Amino acid sequence: MRDIVLFLIIVGCIPFILRRPFIGVLVWCWISYMVPHRLGWGFIQTLPVASVIGLVFLVSYLFSKEPKKIPLSSPIVFLLLFNIWMVITFIMSVKDPYVISQFEKIMKIQFMTLVVLAMLTTRQRIELALWVVALSIGFYGVKGGIYTIATAGGGRVWGPTGGFFFGNNELALTLLMILPILFYLRHLVPDNKRLLRLGLLAAMGLIVLAALGTQSRGGLVACVAVGFFLWLKGPNKLAIALVILIAAPVVYQFMPDRWHDRMATIIEPDRESYDGSVKGRFNAWEMAFNMAKDRPFGGGLNGFKAENFYLYAPEPERKHDSHSIYFQVMGHHGFIGFFLWFAIYLSTWRSAKKTIKLTNKRDDLKWAALLAKMLQCSLIAYAAGGAFLGLAYFDLPYHLVITMVALNVVVNRQLATEAAEKKQQKVRQFADSRPHHPDSLKAALRGSHD
């Protein structure tokens, strides 16, 4: 029954996507992040749902009057350069079925990311996309938070099968990345809709519990980082500080001894943990660094394979995955790829700072300042938790990047419109005050153009 309902919902979206391409953006985000077809039990799981929706969306977009260009701000320039470099490193690498499938998957994500950016042309569209992304991922946070309470923290929370964040570590990071977005969306809800505001607040609390319930050490690091930056960037610092100070000890005491023992290995790893996970990661990171020094194009998308460990690792027999977005990109694409990739997020952070500076003191644009700050908090979660996870190609961080770019365009467009209107108003005022001097009017018009 569940399969049939999901099938009818997905198929039912197709006519709406064909009529309005932006609905395709929302459905694509829902399919990509919630992976709803994986919640079924039968035939729906094997259907190429994402491919069908993506194809319908692209056809609708191509034949629509929607803009077909993207803003070439610095984050997008670096993103395009990074994509070009990934194509080069793919050409230069050894190609096996795994590498080819991964490359196709990454390129599809990158292409759809740019198409979505082209359609994020207004504040309303930016926020609608954020609602869909946050609620799609938040579903697993609410579900996982309830499970954590029901098992008193004893059960481990996992993500959806087939998604980027199926693993417990990946789920923790993903949930903490959308927490600041939910914080922003809650501020959009009017005060008279108290139930919705309370529901979003409860969802945020359950998401934190779910992130801790994954028993991910990297998730705990990201949780601390997000909590600090939410306090630093958010409004009502006293209220946020009180919530954190009251909730943190309660949640900490609620979690079982097994969770405490695991989290304690962040500071003092036990012998088994150090010899296994920790030492293996250090070995893989040094291998990636050595390989990037020796190979300008990196080791390709299958760079962390046994033969490369024999060539570049301090301990060749200790093969380990990258478990770090930084060393994952470095190992796959070399130092050039790493610096291009890092520049995407650094320039996004700088764009957020500029937007905050332009909008922070304006009542009509405070929404933009808050959104830019919350996007920074989400990037901090990714930077902190991603140090221990190989999620460099996950589409959510790139969605945050294009959201920041779209926000910057919307703000700059409004400011430019206001500046043009003020110039015209000055010209009209000058003309009204000197109606019998046409030469003065011409001079004023020349000055407004200058």
Side-chain angles (χ1 to χ4, degrees):
M1 186 66 183
R2 184 186 295 183
D3 290 54
I4 295 172
V5 171
L6 285 170
F7 178 78
L8 291 175
I9 292 172
I10 292 168
V11 172
C13 291
I14 291 177
F16 295 98
I17 296 172
L18 291 171
R19 289 184 61 187
R20 295 183 61 190
F22 184 71
I23 294 178
V25 171
L26 303 180
V27 177
W28 172 259
C29 290
W30 173 54
I31 297 293
S32 298
Y33 294 109
M34 189 175 176
V35 205
H37 50 294
R38 297 293 184 177
L39 297 174
W41 299 104
F43 72 94
I44 193 72
Q45 288 196 358
T46 57
L47 290 180
V49 174
S51 298
V52 171
I53 292 298
L55 181 61
V56 173
F57 164 48
L58 287 175
V59 170
S60 177
Y61 171 67
L62 289 173
F63 288 96
S64 71
K65 295 181 180 179
E66 292 285 347
K68 305 297 189 298
K69 61 180 182 179
I70 57 174
L72 290 178
S73 58
S74 54
I76 301 306
V77 171
F78 284 120
L79 180 61
L80 292 172
L81 290 174
F82 178 59
N83 276 277
I84 292 170
W85 185 253
M86 282 196 292
V87 172
I88 294 171
T89 59
F90 171 73
I91 294 171
M92 300 299 294
S93 66
V94 177
K95 297 166 194 64
D96 55 33
Y98 172 80
V99 170
I100 294 171
S101 66
Q102 285 296 104
F103 179 75
E104 290 176 350
K105 182 179 181 181
I106 292 167
M107 288 297 110
K108 286 177 184 176
I109 290 172
Q110 295 295 318
F111 176 72
M112 292 302 292
T113 297
L114 293 174
V115 174
V116 171
L117 170 61
M119 299 190 68
L120 295 179
T121 53
T122 64
R123 174 187 174 181
Q124 183 187 34
R125 287 188 170 191
I126 291 171
E127 290 176 348
L128 282 172
L130 288 177
W131 273 110
V132 173
V133 172
L135 294 179
S136 297
I137 298 171
F139 168 80
Y140 296 103
V142 171
K143 184 167 168 264
I146 294 171
Y147 177 75
T148 301
I149 294 172
T151 60
R156 182 172 293 186
V157 180
W158 299 88
T161 304
F164 258 105
F165 50 96
F166 167 70
N168 64 315
N169 297 306
E170 290 79 3
L171 177 63
L173 175 59
T174 304
L175 291 175
L176 293 167
M177 285 174 67
I178 62 117
L179 189 66
I181 304 302
L182 281 171
F183 185 90
Y184 167 75
L185 294 173
R186 183 176 177 274
H187 275 74
L188 300 180
V189 180
D191 292 335
N192 59 354
K193 296 185 178 179
R194 294 189 63 185
L195 283 178
L196 181 55
R197 288 177 64 87
L198 287 173
L200 288 172
L201 189 63
M204 291 168 65
L206 289 170
I207 283 171
V208 173
L209 278 175
L212 297 176
T214 61
Q215 300 181 21
S216 167
R217 290 166 293 189
L220 180 61
V221 173
C223 187
V224 173
V226 167
F228 174 74
F229 270 84
L230 271 178
W231 171 81
L232 188 66
K233 298 283 184 177
N236 305 320
K237 287 182 172 51
L238 180 59
I240 295 173
L242 286 174
V243 169
I244 292 174
L245 290 173
I246 293 172
V250 174
V251 173
Y252 185 80
Q253 291 298 324
F254 172 77
M255 300 306 288
D257 291 339
R258 186 175 65 177
W259 182 89
H260 288 281
D261 293 340
R262 181 171 173 79
M263 296 304 114
T265 61
I266 296 174
I267 301 172
E268 295 182 6
D270 55 34
R271 175 53 56 185
E272 182 180 351
S273 175
Y274 181 78
D275 288 342
S277 177
V278 177
K279 205 169 182 180
R281 290 184 186 191
F282 288 158
N283 190 57
W285 295 351
E286 191 167 349
M287 187 279 291
F289 184 79
N290 292 335
M291 184 165 59
K293 285 195 299 181
D294 186 56
R295 299 184 186 180
F297 301 103
L301 294 173
N302 197 15
F304 290 82
K305 54 187 177 181
E307 49 262 46
N308 288 333
F309 277 85
Y310 281 110
L311 289 171
Y312 301 109
E315 298 184 48
E317 299 293 338
R318 191 185 292 276
K319 184 180 178 297
H320 206 280
D321 195 8
S322 62
H323 278 289
S324 169
I325 54 176
Y326 307 104
F327 290 98
Q328 182 182 24
V329 175
M330 188 183 297
H332 287 173
H333 308 293
F335 288 123
I336 294 176
F338 171 77
F339 287 122
L340 289 173
W341 171 83
F342 189 76
I344 296 169
Y345 297 103
L346 181 61
S347 57
T348 302
W349 183 275
R350 290 172 63 87
S351 294
K353 284 185 67 176
K354 290 178 183 177
T355 300
I356 293 166
K357 187 176 180 180
L358 287 171
T359 59
N360 208 27
K361 294 182 180 179
R362 291 188 44 156
D363 290 338
D364 61 327
L365 287 173
K366 278 192 174 179
W367 68 272
L370 180 60
L371 178 53
K373 291 174 182 178
M374 293 303 103
L375 289 171
Q376 284 184 323
C377 290
S378 295
L379 290 176
I380 285 294
Y382 182 57
F388 311 100
L389 289 173
L391 278 177
Y393 310 111
F394 183 26
D395 36 0
L396 180 58
Y398 296 105
H399 190 91
L400 299 178
V401 170
I402 64 170
T403 300
M404 188 60 247
V405 171
L407 175 63
N408 199 25
V409 170
V410 169
V411 168
N412 287 335
R413 185 171 61 230
Q414 180 175 333
L415 294 177
T417 302
E418 290 176 1
E421 288 175 352
K422 285 181 181 178
K423 281 186 178 181
Q424 291 298 324
Q425 187 178 8
K426 285 182 180 180
V427 170
R428 286 193 296 268
Q429 288 174 351
F430 189 85
D432 291 340
S433 65
R434 301 285 184 89
H436 55 286
H437 291 295
D439 293 338
S440 300
L441 178 58
K442 290 178 182 178
L445 287 170
R446 284 197 300 271
S448 69
H449 291 303
D450 294 338

